[in-house]
Amino acid sequence: MHVLHDAPLAPLTTFRLGGPATRLVTATTDAEVIAAVREADDSGTPLLVIGGGSNLVIGDKGFDGTALRIATRGVELRGTTLELAAGEVWTEAVARTVEAGLAGIECLAGIPGSAGATPIQNVGAYGQEVSATITEVVAYDRRARETVTLTGEECAFSYRHSRFKADPERHIVLRVRFELEDAAGLSAPIRYAETARVLGVEPGDRVPLADARETVLRLRAGKGMVLDPEDHDTWSAGSFFTNPILSDEQFAAFQVRVRERLGEDATPPAYPAGEGLTKTSAAWLIDKAGFTKGYGTGPARISTKHTLALTNRGEATTEDLLALAREVVAGVQEVFGVTLVNEPVTVGVSL
């Protein structure tokens, strides 16, 4: 276990924003993780858990407490079963499953962050979500003060949500287990229309695993969604807002606003999201409300490649970023009557 005091946190986040932590502990084993959590809990010290830092917005004043960086390692493949330590780099884990000929998470390639964060957010992209393959999550239960194993069903997954996100102070993810598929070197059925189009197949078709992964990586890179230290479009948390899910009544009111703004023939994106619910596109809302690619004149701006990503152009502060986020939220609300919700976790600040 490695301990630093008054430690900078910005370098541990993909935004490269935020002030220092009073104390930074780096844990490389599950036992060290548990020891650090127990020490904080016993002393009543606030605790901030950091994995890959790809989903964090930390305030400029930093964090007055213990920041715990989970740097555990461990990958175990047994047949089609994959177990990852929480600190494993997600992109590397996806690459290993593709090399092993196992399908199920290949379209989640290029997503920055650690394996332990994937069940918290129910990470998803390009037609796949980790909830479809996660069978168990091993976690430290701070309330019971013991290590527990939760089934996929017990994780209560939904769109970009889970029991871990609903009650963030309770569980610290230690290990994640997945059940993948041996489809003779082929991917899971391609569900996302853009991916299918680029691959030249129909939705529902399978393709070679490597082709699926490489196609997703190219698509993500084209939107600034693959980390590149030299590209400020990737100094972000990826998608900053979740796609809104609207009731039938809300969606009807939204359609009226769309026609008033864009004309009688305008049709917003709409996807079934359960009985009486429709999901629409946050990126579409942002763009049509007037916040186009590259919007902004300050050090925090919308990505030049994707309207859903807010970025640090190199000299931004967290307050710069939040000012931009608030402007976007207010603008979309005024034009379309829809409230955007931030996807990244905020620390010491809020929209």
Side-chain angles (χ1 to χ4, degrees):
M1 189 182 299
H2 186 250
V3 179
L4 291 174
H5 296 275
D6 194 26
L9 294 181
L12 302 182
T13 74
T14 52
F15 265 125
R16 295 167 172 81
L17 295 176
T22 305
R23 184 168 175 262
L24 172 64
V25 176
T26 299
T28 58
T29 68
D30 290 353
E32 289 182 354
V33 171
I34 294 169
V37 174
R38 284 180 171 169
E39 180 183 359
D41 289 347
D42 290 344
S43 63
T45 303
L47 181 70
L48 170 64
V49 178
I50 300 177
S54 61
N55 203 46
L56 279 179
V57 178
I58 299 173
D60 293 318
K61 292 182 179 179
F63 182 70
D64 185 11
T66 295
L68 170 59
R69 179 170 173 259
I70 297 182
T72 55
R73 292 290 182 266
V75 179
E76 187 174 352
L77 263 174
R78 301 181 302 277
T80 56
T81 300
L82 170 69
E83 179 175 303
L84 298 175
E88 278 294 327
V89 178
W90 177 250
T91 54
E92 295 176 2
V94 172
R96 290 184 68 160
T97 65
V98 170
E99 291 169 3
L102 298 177
I105 57 175
E106 62 279 359
C107 291
L108 302 178
I111 295 177
S114 62
T118 60
I120 297 171
Q121 285 287 113
N122 185 18
V123 164
Y126 294 96
Q128 289 182 347
E129 288 184 332
V130 291
S131 57
T133 51
I134 288 178
T135 57
E136 292 180 328
V137 174
V138 179
Y140 176 68
D141 186 333
R142 297 170 70 182
R143 192 174 303 165
R145 295 180 64 85
E146 65 182 11
T147 301
V148 297
T149 299
L150 303 171
T151 66
E153 184 175 345
E154 288 172 326
C155 293
F157 291 121
S158 60
Y159 173 65
R160 300 297 177 270
H161 202 66
S162 68
R163 71 178 298 168
F164 310 109
K165 191 171 182 180
D167 189 3
E169 300 300 318
R170 179 163 183 180
H171 293 100
I172 307 296
V173 175
L174 301 174
R175 299 187 169 270
V176 188
R177 296 176 181 139
F178 303 80
E179 184 59 34
L180 304 176
E181 178 188 8
D182 185 348
L186 296 180
S187 69
I190 300 297
R191 303 296 184 194
Y192 199 70
E194 183 183 22
T195 314
R197 176 179 57 78
V198 173
L199 284 163
V201 300
E202 294 296 320
D205 288 349
R206 295 175 184 262
V207 300
L209 276 164
D211 290 354
R213 174 178 174 269
E214 290 163 9
T215 296
V216 166
L217 286 173
R218 286 198 303 273
L219 288 171
R220 290 186 64 87
K223 299 173 183 177
M225 297 290 187
V226 177
L227 292 181
D228 179 352
E230 304 303 316
D231 182 0
H232 285 284
D233 277 329
T234 74
W235 289 32
S236 75
S239 299
F240 195 87
F241 300 103
T242 58
N243 290 323
I245 295 178
L246 308 176
S247 67
D248 287 343
E249 182 179 355
Q250 290 171 327
F251 189 72
F254 168 53
Q255 288 179 301
V256 171
R257 296 276 199 116
V258 169
R259 289 192 290 270
E260 289 174 350
R261 172 83 174 190
L262 303 174
E264 287 298 319
D265 295 331
T267 303
Y271 311 96
E275 186 174 352
L277 298 173
T278 300
K279 180 167 66 176
T280 192
S281 165
W284 186 91
L285 287 166
I286 293 166
D287 180 70
K288 299 305 181 185
F291 302 99
T292 54
K293 295 174 183 176
Y295 178 88
T297 57
R301 302 178 199 173
I302 290 177
S303 166
T304 66
K305 300 182 179 72
H306 199 308
T307 55
L308 202 48
L310 307 188
T311 67
N312 171 10
R313 308 315 294 184
E315 300 295 332
T317 65
T318 300
E319 278 306 310
D320 292 328
L321 176 76
L322 293 176
L324 175 62
R326 291 172 187 136
E327 183 182 359
V328 171
V329 170
V332 169
Q333 175 64 41
E334 180 181 1
V335 173
F336 294 116
V338 175
T339 301
L340 294 177
V341 176
N342 54 290
E343 186 169 334
V345 174
T346 55
V347 178
V349 291
S350 64
L351 289 188

